[in-house]
Amino acid sequence: MSLIARIAAAAALTLSAVAGQAATVSLLTTDNGWYSTVSAHSPSNTNTITGFYNNGEYRSFYVFSLPGLAAGETILSATLSFASGNGTMEGQYAQKHLGLFDYTGSISSLRTGAADSATAFADLGSGKSYGTATLNGPTGTMPGFSVSLTNDAIADLLAFSATPNHAFVIGASLLDPFVSGRAETLWSSSGQNGNAVAARLTLVTGQAVPEPDSIALLGAAALAFGIVARRRKSK
């Protein structure tokens, strides 16, 4: 085997080893619900209605229990997936636009319904954007869909995975204009028929950067390629 071939094989094995350290973690919600401009969350209610209904606006929350990460491990990507058939989509908008946001208040109070309703409602639809989705309507059974979460979301996931209880919240809000007297909702009548788990969070974890030995090997490979290429040109 030539020098170039040996170096290329070693580099490929190194990259494969680094990639092989990635793992996928799938997490279901440990709690979910809503806060609105007209009412607060009830702990027994797993409905996640989001949008405009009965002259009020509703915003949902999704709680996850994050895994602890090993030393040197990071979250490479995160995806939030919503279950299909969980309630209905109602209204007249041909498309509905969903926004996902951070939550900065007390998670315990949010879950028990003890959070100030107006404050929790505002928090669930403002702040850092965790992603957006467009759903074709206007009415029908809720489809299943996924949202790739933003870098801000991944940074917060890393931070919350290091907290004692590992709890993490994602807020959901309808981004379309409010229309008085008209329902424009996602997940109406959700949480019924035993479908209490509303969403799934999928994390891909792995090493934050290649290990120093791996970097050195790849650097040596690049240098060797350059040396061989120059020798060939000089002949």
Side-chain angles (χ1 to χ4, degrees), residues 15-189:
L15 290 174
S16 177
V18 172
Q21 295 174 2
T24 300
V25 180
S26 183
L27 308 168
L28 298 177
T29 55
T30 57
D31 198 2
N32 41 254
W34 52 257
Y35 280 80
S36 80
T37 54
V38 295
S39 185
H41 171 64
S42 170
S44 62
N45 189 348
T46 57
N47 191 316
T48 55
I49 182 172
T50 303
F52 318 123
Y53 178 74
N54 198 24
N55 289 323
E57 182 177 354
Y58 292 72
R59 292 174 178 173
S60 296
F61 66 86
Y62 302 87
V63 184
F64 298 91
S65 179
L66 302 179
L69 299 177
E73 193 175 26
T74 191
I75 297 174
L76 303 175
S77 67
T79 304
L80 185 65
S81 301
F82 296 92
S84 63
N86 189 19
T88 61
M89 177 165 44
E90 299 178 357
Q92 299 176 36
Y93 284 128
Q95 290 185 323
K96 292 183 175 61
H97 301 87
L98 176 71
L100 303 177
F101 297 91
D102 69 338
Y103 177 74
T104 60
S106 166
I107 297 176
S108 176
S109 296
L110 185 79
R111 299 181 68 173
T112 61
D116 178 75
S117 183
T119 303
F121 170 82
D123 200 346
L124 293 169
S126 62
K128 298 177 187 176
S129 171
Y130 281 175
T132 59
T134 299
L135 290 91
N136 294 321
T139 62
T141 301
M142 279 299 301
F145 64 99
S146 297
V147 181
S148 296
L149 300 187
T150 63
N151 288 334
D152 279 339
I154 292 174
D156 286 349
L157 283 162
L158 282 169
F160 278 88
S161 68
T163 59
N165 62 9
H166 296 186
F168 184 73
V169 172
I170 297 176
S173 174
L174 194 65
L175 302 179
D176 301 300
F178 174 79
V179 180
S180 179
R182 194 172 92 194
E184 291 289 347
T185 61
L186 303 174
W187 298 293
S188 292
S189 302

